[in-house]
Amino acid sequence: MDFHHRYRGHFDSKTGSVFGSASNYLKGLMQALRKNMERMEEHVVGADDQALQYMLTEAQWDSRAVMNQVAQEANQLLGGDGSCLLLDESGFAKKGRHSVGVARQWNGRLGKVDNCQVGVFAALGHGDRAALIDYRLYLPSDWSEDEQRCKTAGIPDAFRPFKTKVALALEMVNYQRQQGIRFAWVGADGGYGKDPAFLRELEDMGETFVVDVHKDQLIYLDDPQPVIPQKQGSTRGRLASRYQAQTPAIRVDDWQIAQPEAAWQRVKLRDGTQGDLIVEVLHQRVWLWDKQETKARHWHLIVRREINAPDTHKYTLSNAPAETGTHVLAKMQGQRYWIERVFEDGKSESGMADYQARKWDSWHHHMALVAMALLFMVEERELHREALPLLSCNDIETLLRTCLPRRDIDPDEVVRQMEKRHRRRQASIDYAFNKQVVFSTG
């Protein structure tokens, strides 16, 4: 794997280098079936779990610098006029309360509120390829308000103030623009589109967006032309100060129900492993007004339903140019699928959720190394696209697990590893027993 040598400068310093441990960790994300450091040591030649832990938690290397390089290399591969910046969050189930940012909060992977950490991520996508290029760890307000807890977790002062997930997402959009990353539009799901300020802020930043919204989103079929009502009759009493719409609003799901079947258009989104992925869509230009601005926004509304699930609908707003066609908008909306694939590959193949990292730096270090692993896989799939068009991340990991030197194939080494596991297990048993004895006699 010569790939990791491109990043060597980020792990070398005047006081020492953790490049070897970072390389072993990266290999471990590929080789080990379970991605914790003890299993990495057992699979990767030359790896030591304590050295891996030091590299992840204590060593002072800059994960932001690593991610900047990941983003620039992904930009060379995927950036351009047909590219998009995809925003989404992912939850990581955790026990206890000491892991940085952990709280009882929504975990989309589990589909429920649970004890977890949540990260907001950005992926650069083009066609059927996407690479993770940025992330922000979400800190719930009870963390931001607890100075000692933040200090114990090693959270730098600059990152302690509370920020919403929407604010973190906008921060990444702005940051990647400053980095010169090339993308034509921004995509996100309804968790972000439900915030009216999010879409308006993107437009005010000069960004084109294609963002899902919830079914209760209000739209106007005619320009509401908000005005402050003039006082009629008596001059007594207060003057009106709030704008009022001149046309009625309607929920997007109510509008969709009222549309005739003939209005639905079929669109092929992409080739799938089980045939063409075809959806049906409605398309309408609508107005959006937040009851505060002096003018309404004039955007596209796209409603999508699956052929085999006609009762399930997805609602999407876009500020793309007025002349943008239905088929183009539908395909742009369909691109958001690829960040979900990034999460799937990251968690299934690259240990994205299998980390031993309680502190701020260790969480960010882990995610930077996962992003490197995912970029490597994107590069390999792109390199072999013509010869192996069905090459998957799982295929690549299987090949690496087989082809890279392995520690766990020598019988003596296997016995040594087993004995080491037994010593650790016995130490854990002894600790628990001694603790129980002290508690019962204390």
Side-chain angles (χ1 to χ4, degrees):
M1 285 177 63
D2 294 329
F3 169 85
H4 61 291
H5 284 283
R6 305 197 313 239
Y7 292 80
R8 178 163 195 149
H10 301 301
F11 301 99
D12 291 338
S13 68
K14 294 180 180 179
T15 57
S17 173
V18 291
F19 176 69
S21 292
S23 299
N24 287 335
Y25 194 92
L26 190 64
K27 292 174 185 176
L29 292 175
M30 306 284 191
Q31 286 184 268
L33 293 175
R34 295 177 60 191
K35 313 297 184 179
N36 62 58
M37 296 180 208
E38 293 178 12
R39 301 293 85 80
M40 288 181 181
E41 179 190 284
E42 293 175 356
H43 287 79
V44 180
V45 174
D48 177 83
D49 65 316
Q50 293 185 357
L52 295 175
Q53 187 67 65
Y54 174 81
M55 178 276 303
L56 201 71
T57 304
E58 304 297 334
Q60 298 300 302
W61 55 275
D62 189 351
S63 59
R64 173 49 54 190
V66 171
M67 286 307 301
N68 287 347
Q69 183 171 338
V70 167
Q72 292 299 335
E73 293 183 355
N75 187 44
Q76 294 176 18
L77 189 66
L78 303 174
D81 293 338
S83 303
C84 53
L85 188 71
L86 303 170
L87 307 170
D88 204 352
E89 64 191 60
S90 190
F92 307 92
K94 294 293 171 183
K95 297 180 180 179
R97 65 184 304 273
H98 299 295
S99 296
V100 60
V102 72
R104 286 196 60 79
Q105 54 191 324
W106 179 256
N107 185 333
R109 188 183 190 189
L110 300 178
K112 64 179 183 178
V113 173
D114 195 28
N115 206 56
C116 65
Q117 296 166 298
V118 174
V120 182
F121 295 85
L124 184 65
H126 187 100
D128 61 352
R129 299 288 188 265
L132 183 66
I133 65 169
D134 206 349
Y135 52 79
R136 300 287 190 275
L137 178 62
Y138 172 68
L139 285 183
S141 57
D142 59 344
W143 269 85
S144 297
E145 295 165 3
D146 191 333
E147 182 178 352
Q148 184 56 48
R149 200 178 186 193
C150 288
K151 184 177 180 180
T152 301
I155 304 173
D157 291 347
F159 296 98
R160 294 180 186 178
F162 175 73
K163 292 181 180 179
T164 65
K165 296 171 187 176
V166 163
L168 296 174
L170 291 169
E171 189 176 278
M172 288 191 291
V173 175
N174 186 55
Y175 185 82
Q176 295 306 325
R177 279 298 185 201
Q178 292 178 353
Q179 291 285 101
I181 304 304
R182 296 170 294 132
F183 51 92
W185 79 92
V186 176
D189 70 8
Y192 295 83
K194 69 180 181 182
D195 186 331
F198 177 64
L199 301 182
R200 290 166 175 79
E201 182 66 22
L202 283 174
E203 184 165 71
D204 292 344
M205 291 166 61
E207 299 293 345
T208 298
F209 63 77
V210 181
V211 175
D212 295 345
V213 294
H214 290 177
K215 64 182 181 180
D216 60 354
Q217 171 70 52
L218 293 178
I219 58 172
Y220 295 84
L221 302 181
D222 297 298
D223 188 346
Q225 298 179 336
V227 296
I228 297 176
Q230 297 296 315
K231 192 172 181 63
Q232 303 292 327
S234 172
T235 58
R236 299 177 63 183
R238 294 183 179 181
L239 295 175
S241 60
R242 295 183 178 180
Y243 285 90
Q244 293 185 8
Q246 305 306 298
T247 59
I250 184 173
R251 285 171 49 132
V252 289
D253 58 346
D254 288 338
W255 176 82
Q256 166 256 309
I257 290 171
Q259 303 312 299
E261 278 297 310
W264 292 90
Q265 301 181 49
R266 289 203 168 190
V267 177
K268 175 185 172 181
L269 295 186
R270 58 181 178 271
D271 297 328
T273 56
Q274 299 180 356
D276 295 340
L277 177 59
I278 299 175
V279 299
E280 293 182 324
V281 297
L282 295 171
H283 177 203
Q284 175 80 21
R285 292 278 285 169
V286 298
W287 281 263
L288 279 294
W289 182 52
D290 65 354
K291 299 184 179 181
Q292 295 182 3
E293 294 183 312
T294 59
K295 292 181 63 177
R297 312 272 181 147
H298 200 193
W299 295 338
H300 297 273
L301 169 65
I302 291 287
V303 183
R304 165 180 160 178
R305 70 184 184 188
E306 309 294 330
I307 299 297
N308 58 354
D311 295 329
T312 301
H313 300 89
K314 189 180 293 292
Y315 306 94
T316 305
L317 292 173
S318 175
N319 67 334
E323 65 274 12
T324 307
T326 303
H327 284 59
V328 172
L329 288 167
K331 289 185 176 182
M332 291 167 74
Q333 190 276 339
Q335 283 295 103
R336 202 180 61 76
Y337 164 79
W338 297 106
I339 191 170
E340 296 174 2
R341 278 297 303 271
V342 168
F343 291 149
E344 181 180 336
D345 290 335
K347 292 181 178 182
S348 299
E349 315 301 340
S350 303
M352 190 177 192
D354 301 332
Y355 50 84
Q356 297 164 292
R358 282 190 170 184
K359 294 191 174 182
W360 177 270
D361 279 349
S362 55
W363 188 89
H364 288 76
H365 286 169
H366 171 76
M367 291 301 169
L369 289 161
V370 168
M372 286 176 61
L374 290 171
L375 177 62
F376 170 78
M377 292 184 178
V378 173
E379 290 186 357
E380 289 300 301
R381 294 175 70 193
E382 196 66 25
L383 179 64
H384 301 286
R385 176 186 285 269
E386 292 188 11
L388 298 168
L390 298 180
L391 185 67
S392 68
C393 291
N394 180 263
D395 293 333
I396 295 170
E397 183 176 280
T398 299
L399 288 166
L400 290 174
R401 192 181 300 124
T402 303
C403 297
L404 286 174
R406 288 176 55 183
R407 197 177 208 167
D408 58 338
I409 58 175
D410 177 72
D412 292 338
E413 176 63 22
V414 173
V415 171
R416 185 196 71 81
Q417 293 176 7
M418 180 181 68
E419 291 174 342
K420 184 175 181 178
R421 288 198 301 272
H422 288 180
R423 287 195 299 272
R424 287 182 169 175
R425 195 179 307 163
Q426 187 61 53
S428 178
I429 293 170
D430 293 343
Y431 174 80
F433 177 78
N434 292 332
K435 186 177 180 180
Q436 188 178 46
V437 170
V438 171
F439 178 79
S440 62
T441 59

